[in-house]
Amino acid sequence: MTRYCIIGAGPAGLAALKAMLDSGHEVDCFEKSDTIGGHWNHDYDALHLITSRQVTGYEGFPMPEHWPLFPHRDQMLEYFHLFADEFDLRRHITFGTSVDRVEPLPTDGPVGSAGWSVTTSDGVRREYDGVLVANGHLWDQKIPDIPGAFTGKQVHSGSYRNTGDIDGRRVLVIGSGNSGCDLAVDAAQDHFDTHIVIRRGHHFQPKTFFGKPRSELAWMQEFTFEEQDLLARLMMRVSVGEASDYPGMPIPDHRALADGPPVVNDLLLYWVQHGRIKVRPGIERFDGKTVHFSDGTSDDFDTILWATGFHASLPFLDDDLLVKQDGVPLRVGGAVVPLDLEKLYLIGMIGARGPQPPIYPVQADLAVRMIAIHEASPRGFVPIAGPLTQAQSHEWRIDILRPLWLEQVEQTKVALQVIAASQPVGASA
């Protein structure tokens, strides 16, 4: 019996674990913390979903109907615990054990074709026929390099919990994605003198239209993706106005919502119009507690909150094994397969726009299909990563439009059917 390794017991790891167990595989799952749920255990207190509970759960396991439309962080964490309990996943997880090294076993064939060795923090080295990597992409904090030095307090959104983390009264939020907007609103509502850096104009999307999430407006589904984008912009124009209606707000340099980052927050706009949040341009340099902005102005701040994202990191893999663009491993196969690496599957290294948990079972299903093809071969290996690397576009994005990613998924399913059908009789999946 072959055996497989899953790295991480966050939302992606849980989905991968269930998929593998449902397919009858022997699996070891390693989680470096003492619990499941990944980043949901330490996200900031003010966090709520920006997609509704009806569409954000795993397929076939909906969230409780009595929960609010946009659940809180703690409810999301409870949901993942409910999922793990329902399918008896915990007994397959080794907690308090991190994966330190993942290395391809020696072979004359393609890298990874003989399987992988996994060395854990307890010093044990194990060999597996395949490894499903679900260590997440929201943990390795990214802070841009800005000239000078800021001598006040600095906290990244990945470490921020609540306004108790802020020193002094004047706070500058750097970054205006969903987390940056949440942090600025959190500070403003607690009466801090709050400023936010917005270098590029956004289309700020409200969570609901006519009291319902956009994804649940049935009549919208009758239109094409492009038409839905236009209709959403028209409804936004009516409900929140234009950038010029908000002091200091830069005008978006793109028309379609699809062409810019998805920012779903209208509370920021509310507090900007109430004078509780001030919009600032880009930063030129730091000088002690003084921040110099690109428009020639400067101000002193006590605390900076960095909402500047994360690196997509795989620290247990030798960098020489990965081909990267802008620090992100290039992938094929619905963003599951690193270029030319066989039997290594990345689950969750994609952020297709919309609800995130439903993504993970889809990627896990692709991995299970690939594993089935390998196991059906008398050699225990069929070239999959190599052909996909040759045939498909190399995906460099984490943030990607969902229809584009779903198209990649469907293309991969077709490719896997072709690969399986090309095997000798009696050796196909």
Side-chain angles (χ1 to χ4, degrees), residues 17 20 29 67 205 227 240 243 252 264 288 305 327 365 374 409 421 428:
L17 181 55
M20 292 293 285
C29 179
W67 281 11
Q205 304 178 48
E227 289 169 340
V240 301
V264 182
L305 301 179
D365 172 70
H374 288 308
V409 169
S428 58

Side-chain angles (χ1 to χ4, degrees), residues 173-197:
V173 179
I174 301 178
S176 55
N178 289 302
S179 293
C181 292
D182 279 350
L183 268 57
V185 168
D186 199 29
Q189 292 182 156
D190 212 2
H191 302 283
F192 286 86
D193 184 359
T194 306
H195 302 237
I196 184 171
V197 172

Side-chain angles (χ1 to χ4, degrees), residues 1 4 6 13-27 58-61 83-89 91-92 132 360-362 364-365 367-369 371-372 375:
M1 170 72 73
Y4 297 88
I6 296 175
L14 294 176
L17 181 55
K18 181 180 182 299
M20 292 293 285
L21 294 173
D22 286 349
S23 300
H25 296 294
E26 295 289 329
V27 182
Y58 299 119
E59 184 177 1
F61 193 76
F83 181 80
D85 292 340
E86 175 70 18
F87 300 106
D88 194 20
L89 301 181
R91 65 188 179 92
H92 301 278
L132 289 79
Y360 312 137
V362 173
D365 172 70
V368 167
R369 291 171 186 243
I371 288 168
E375 290 197 348

